[in-house]
Amino acid sequence: MSPVFPMLTVLTMFYYICLRRRARTATRGEMMNSHRTIESNSRTSPLHAEVVQYAKEVVDFSSHYGSENSMSYTMWNLAGVPNVFPSSGDFTQTAVFRTYGTWWDQCPSASLPFKRTPPNFQSQDYVELTFEQQVYPTAVHVLETYHPGAVIRILACSANPYSPIPPAEVRWEILWSERPTKVNASQARQFKPCIKQINFPTNLIRLEVNSSLLDYYTELDAVVLHGTKDKPVLSLKTSLIDMNDLEDDDYEEKDGCGMDRLNKKFSSTALREGPNNGYFDKLPYELIQLILNHLTLPDLCRLAQTCKLLNQHCCDPLQYIHLNLQPYWAKLSDTSLEFLQARCTLVQWLNLSWTGNRGFISVAGFSRFLKVCGSELVRLELSCSHFLNETCLEIISEMCPNLQDLNLSSCDKLPPQAFNHIAKLCGLRRLVLYRTKIEQTALLSILNFCSELQHLSLGSCVMIEDYDVIASMIGAKCKKLRTLDLWRCKNITENGIAELASGCPLLEELDLGWCPTLQSSTGCFARLARQLPNLQKLFLTANRSVCDTDIEELACNCTRLRQLDILGTRMVSPASLRKLLESCKDLCLLDVSFCSQIDNRAVLELNVSFPNVFIKKSFTQ
């Protein structure tokens, strides 16, 4: 044998040892890159025919800019082939979420954030899409036509929405995720993230977005799913990657999507006698509690298994006064709630938004949990929780006597009669009913009995027949009201506005966007400005009748104004806007998109004079 071959063997072994050592000592970023290398090389064999399909249907979403009774700017535009792409700009045929930027976190109606939210969960909205065929995904392409960059997570579900047989188990897997990043260009792009391979076929894809870094609304046109009918095989290149990289990244993935094996962690009660705690157990009980308060919920559950001392601290109900379960929506189930039950007897803030869908949480499981943990509840977030029915709202009204804050945003599957039970919660101060099927009778009952209301959202509530009657009741009963969302209320008139303005003088925020029955010629906007001097946010979006007189009234009377949206008006001049900006020193957002008298030159001059104000100007395509 030639002496060259033993030398090559030794060098090969040495190189392999170096690779192993480098993999073990790699930084987190290097490990992530290694995993991405696997993903980029994990392509299907040419023998497998690739299926390319557009979304067949939009089955669920958290919000949209459009109306429930039209197709303009709605999530339903994501179904089918592209309507706009590759064109760029603002088009009504695209899908647009309700908010963008940080403006909605800076207005009076904004809620305080929950503590213990994992840093890797930053989703604000979502949309779920179905496709005709189940495939093993090889790529997901998102066609973005205006202000791209909002998509931060893509997930796949094992359940087939078109199967007549309900699945025994429903799994969600993250195909791709990334922290929000700033995309400087507003032009259209085909977003093609490098996705992870999964071991089940899917025809249900979920996009999660974060629009906080955007300068304006993101617009999505279509989603393309690439995949194979047969399970693909990893390329041989993956065998060169250390398995430690895969395990670490898989661990992070599972925690990012939900509480992995959370039920087992909750049910683990056998704790061995641990070693001496050193001086840690000498610390005051309150100090240990304060330290543990910085842990996320899964970390708290893991730590509870280390020793009896930490188990006692981690199971203390004081650690669960504010409980945010929304980040774990994909794994939270009846069993999870059952094991949390003993720890949550003092919970005051509870966030179950997005949870329980597709059978993860039952009405019975939710009811059992609230019967034990509802007595101290002050705040309950249930946005997009489609397991809710009339029984659930009845249980809430009976078991949560101290409730002050209830969010049912986009719970559009709740039957109209269910909302009657909310009237029993007389201490409510904040009620969010955006995109629900509440009817006029139930709402009038709520307004009559819940006179402590300070924040009320009725945006896109299409089942209400006469908003003037509602406005009159608000003015008569809700004297403490500070914020009111009447977004896309189709039939409110100057009569309702007059009742509202005279009865609710404390109003700081009013959204009358896309209310076509309001006309400036009746004096309704000038009356608002004169009678509501505390206004900080006023949205008159898409009301073409707003004129210079209205802007000058705002400048004279509403000097605390911070946000103003007059998108679409044809009767406001740069001169009146200058008066407004000179008078309202705190103004930080001014949307004059599609205002025909406000051209680029006028916006530029105002920007130079008032650099602290974000002036948004878009043009019709």
Side-chain angles (χ1 to χ4, degrees):
M1 179 183 291
S2 170
V4 175
F5 291 104
M7 180 61 68
L8 287 175
T9 303
V10 171
L11 289 173
T12 302
M13 292 179 63
F14 178 73
Y15 180 65
Y16 176 74
I17 291 170
C18 290
L19 283 178
R20 294 276 299 181
R21 181 171 298 173
R22 181 182 177 187
R24 289 196 186 98
T25 59
T27 64
R28 188 66 190 153
E30 289 170 339
M31 286 193 276
M32 290 294 289
N33 289 334
S34 298
H35 199 179
R36 291 192 183 101
T37 302
I38 296 173
E39 293 164 357
S40 63
N41 291 320
S42 301
R43 294 293 180 260
T44 56
S45 165
L47 298 176
H48 299 296
E50 187 174 58
V51 178
V52 180
Q53 49 187 332
Y54 290 99
K56 177 181 179 181
E57 188 179 359
V58 176
V59 292
D60 192 20
F61 55 91
S62 55
S63 79
H64 60 183
Y65 186 87
S67 166
E68 301 300 294
N69 297 323
S70 81
M71 291 296 291
S72 297
Y73 297 123
T74 63
M75 286 298 118
W76 300 305
N77 286 322
L78 275 176
V81 299
N83 298 308
V84 173
F85 191 86
S87 298
S88 298
D90 190 338
F91 291 90
T92 61
Q93 302 97 318
T94 57
V96 184
F97 291 97
R98 174 81 191 270
T99 64
Y100 75 93
T102 59
W103 312 111
W104 278 258
D105 296 326
Q106 299 170 1
C107 56
S109 60
S111 296
L112 293 174
F114 273 76
K115 299 177 181 178
R116 278 209 171 108
T117 300
N120 58 354
F121 180 80
Q122 299 191 34
S123 302
Q124 297 174 333
D125 277 296
Y126 73 85
V127 58
E128 292 181 4
L129 308 156
T130 59
F131 296 79
E132 185 70 37
Q133 302 180 54
Q134 281 195 315
V135 295
Y136 291 91
T138 56
V140 177
H141 296 174
V142 184
L143 307 186
E144 303 170 290
T145 55
Y146 199 43
H147 291 278
V151 178
I152 61 169
R153 284 214 306 185
I154 303 175
L155 302 97
C157 185
S158 62
N160 182 356
Y162 301 119
S163 174
I165 304 173
E169 180 188 13
V170 179
R171 293 172 54 199
W172 284 95
E173 288 289 341
I174 299 177
L175 299 179
W176 170 86
S177 67
E178 190 173 282
R179 291 179 178 274
T181 55
K182 177 75 171 180
V183 177
N184 292 323
S186 64
Q187 285 76 21
R189 72 170 184 177
Q190 187 172 8
F191 181 50
K192 302 186 288 186
C194 184
I195 67 171
K196 185 190 80 169
Q197 201 169 72
I198 57 176
N199 61 2
F200 59 80
T202 184
N203 63 339
L204 178 56
I205 296 295
R206 175 176 170 126
L207 307 182
E208 293 185 358
V209 304
N210 182 309
S211 303
S212 61
L213 300 182
L214 300 186
D215 290 332
Y216 207 53
Y217 298 95
T218 191
E219 298 191 8
L220 311 179
D221 192 15
V223 177
V224 191
L225 174 62
H226 298 246
T228 59
K229 299 293 287 183
D230 299 322
K231 187 174 182 179
V233 180
L234 288 172
S235 91
L236 294 176
K237 294 182 182 181
T238 60
S239 61
L240 299 177
I241 306 298
D242 194 299
M243 290 303 294
N244 290 331
D245 294 355
L246 291 176
E247 291 168 0
D248 289 346
D249 202 33
D250 188 56
Y251 177 82
E252 181 182 273
E253 239 165 44
K254 290 176 180 176
D255 279 350
C257 184
M259 291 180 283
D260 180 45
R261 295 175 294 174
L262 182 60
N263 302 338
K264 294 180 181 178
K265 299 181 189 303
F266 284 144
S267 59
S268 177
T269 56
L271 297 174
R272 297 177 298 170
E273 287 290 341
N276 188 289
N277 290 317
Y279 293 100
F280 191 77
D281 54 0
K282 305 296 183 185
L283 293 174
Y285 191 92
E286 294 80 4
L287 182 56
I288 298 177
Q289 285 284 293
L290 184 61
I291 294 171
L292 299 185
N293 196 45
H294 293 277
L295 296 178
T296 62
L297 185 58
D299 289 338
L300 202 63
C301 297
R302 296 186 193 102
L303 190 62
Q305 301 176 73
T306 56
C307 68
K308 287 186 175 180
L309 173 66
L310 290 175
N311 179 268
Q312 177 187 0
H313 282 280
C314 292
C315 294
D316 192 320
L318 291 174
Q319 286 290 336
Y320 302 87
I321 289 179
H322 291 187
L323 182 60
N324 184 8
L325 296 175
Q326 182 181 3
Y328 316 108
W329 62 265
K331 297 291 178 70
L332 196 75
S333 65
D334 280 351
T335 310
S336 307
L337 292 180
E338 183 180 345
F339 287 116
L340 276 169
Q341 203 166 273
R343 308 182 185 197
C344 298
T345 53
L346 299 179
V347 63
Q348 296 178 8
W349 287 15
L350 176 61
N351 188 356
L352 286 171
S353 294
W354 301 7
T355 65
N357 300 338
R358 294 185 173 82
F360 277 55
I361 294 178
S362 67
V363 172
F366 176 74
S367 301
R368 285 194 300 269
F369 184 77
L370 273 199
K371 285 177 181 177
V372 175
C373 308
S375 61
E376 301 297 323
L377 267 183
V378 175
R379 177 178 175 186
L380 182 57
E381 303 281 340
L382 293 169
S383 173
C384 305
S385 297
H386 298 311
F387 67 89
L388 294 173
N389 64 5
E390 183 176 359
T391 300
C392 294
L393 291 197
E394 184 177 8
I395 291 293
I396 291 170
S397 67
E398 292 175 355
M399 297 297 147
C400 306
N402 299 309
L403 200 62
Q404 298 178 9
D405 189 331
L406 179 60
N407 183 357
L408 297 173
S409 172
S410 288
C411 290
D412 55 341
K413 294 178 175 58
L414 270 171
Q417 68 272 15
F419 297 95
N420 288 304
H421 297 285
I422 298 177
K424 303 171 189 175
L425 299 168
C426 299
L428 277 181
R429 290 188 170 89
R430 177 173 173 262
L431 179 60
V432 181
L433 298 173
Y434 167 72
R435 287 193 65 240
T436 61
K437 292 184 172 65
I438 188 168
E439 292 181 337
Q440 186 160 312
T441 303
L443 183 54
L444 290 172
S445 178
I446 292 170
L447 295 173
N448 186 50
F449 289 101
C450 301
S451 58
E452 298 296 314
L453 277 174
Q454 297 180 18
H455 308 280
L456 179 61
S457 174
L458 300 174
S460 292
C461 291
V462 297
M463 304 289 284
I464 297 173
E465 300 91 349
D466 191 342
Y467 270 98
D468 278 349
V469 174
I470 297 300
S472 178
M473 179 65 83
I474 291 174
K477 295 290 184 178
C478 303
K479 301 295 185 180
K480 299 178 181 179
L481 201 66
R482 293 176 50 216
T483 71
L484 178 61
D485 181 4
L486 295 177
W487 172 263
R488 294 191 179 273
C489 298
K490 292 295 185 183
N491 53 30
I492 191 168
T493 69
E494 65 276 7
N495 298 324
I497 292 298
E499 297 278 356
L500 193 65
S502 61
C504 302
L506 302 180
L507 270 178
E508 299 173 7
E509 176 180 336
L510 182 59
D511 193 332
L512 296 171
W514 295 90
C515 295
T517 49
L518 293 176
Q519 294 296 317
S520 174
S521 57
T522 64
C524 59
F525 300 137
R527 184 181 297 111
L528 280 177
R530 289 192 294 267
Q531 294 186 300
L532 302 177
N534 296 316
L535 275 180
Q536 297 181 33
K537 173 182 173 180
L538 178 62
F539 273 30
L540 302 175
T541 316
N543 193 303
R544 298 183 183 277
S545 69
V546 176
C547 62
D548 282 347
T549 302
D550 303 318
I551 301 302
E552 290 168 5
E553 287 286 355
L554 288 171
C556 292
N557 298 286
C558 301
T559 56
R560 298 177 60 191
L561 199 64
R562 295 179 56 84
Q563 299 181 30
L564 177 64
D565 185 344
I566 53 171
L567 176 150
T569 181
R570 298 171 177 175
M571 305 173 67
V572 171
S573 67
S576 65
L577 289 183
R578 181 172 289 276
K579 291 180 182 178
L580 179 76
L581 291 167
E582 289 171 349
S583 178
C584 302
K585 304 297 184 182
D586 296 328
L587 197 68
C588 55
L589 170 64
L590 177 60
D591 194 337
V592 292
S593 299
F594 310 117
C595 294
S596 55
Q597 290 194 43
I598 314 297
D599 57 17
N600 264 341
R601 180 178 177 181
V603 172
L604 182 61
E605 291 175 352
L606 291 173
N607 273 325
V608 171
S609 302
F610 307 95
N612 295 326
V613 183
F614 179 79
I615 304 176
K616 180 58 189 175
K617 174 67 177 176
S618 294
F619 295 90
T620 305
Q621 300 304 310

